[in-house]
Amino acid sequence: MVVRGVSTQRPDEQRRFADEEDIPFPLLSDMDAALAAALRLPTFRARQALRLKRAVPMVDRERAVRHVHFPVADTPAAVETSLDVAKGL
């Protein structure tokens, strides 16, 4: 199982967020929102910047979406729940 997070933030912003929220896996930067557009992920604008709404889509090796946790109100709880779900897939 490979776990990655994605956001439209810069890598330095992601590192700070991951440290603050105790994210136990790498975050990938999608600053141009290409992945967000390809997966049709939910977005919003903040200070003219495109941001991803917090969601946890689980995509298998064949690129099929197997599970989605949305909306995410509690990031640490969503991470824990999603890791539990991933173990069962």
Side-chain angles (χ1 to χ4, degrees), residues 44-73:
F44 67 99
R45 291 239 173 237
R47 298 184 192 160
Q48 303 303 317
L50 185 68
R51 298 291 188 214
L52 295 173
K53 291 184 180 180
R54 290 186 183 152
V56 185
M58 300 179 145
V59 182
D60 67 17
R61 293 185 188 279
E62 287 76 39
R63 301 180 186 166
V65 177
R66 302 290 305 272
H67 183 279
V68 177
H69 186 113
F70 182 80
V72 173

Side-chain angles (χ1 to χ4, degrees), residues 32-49:
D32 64 359
L35 181 62
L39 294 177
R40 298 181 183 169
L41 298 175
T43 61
F44 67 99
R45 291 239 173 237
R47 298 184 192 160
Q48 303 303 317

Side-chain angles (χ1 to χ4, degrees), residues 4-18 23 25-37 39 41-44 49-55 57:
R4 300 287 183 264
V6 177
S7 84
T8 57
Q9 294 175 303
R10 296 185 324 257
D12 62 308
E13 293 173 314
Q14 289 177 321
R15 278 190 295 278
R16 188 169 44 252
F17 174 77
I23 305 295
F25 46 80
L27 297 177
L28 307 176
S29 181
D30 186 26
M31 289 177 58
D32 64 359
L35 181 62
L39 294 177
L41 298 175
T43 61
F44 67 99
L50 185 68
R51 298 291 188 214
L52 295 173
K53 291 184 180 180
R54 290 186 183 152

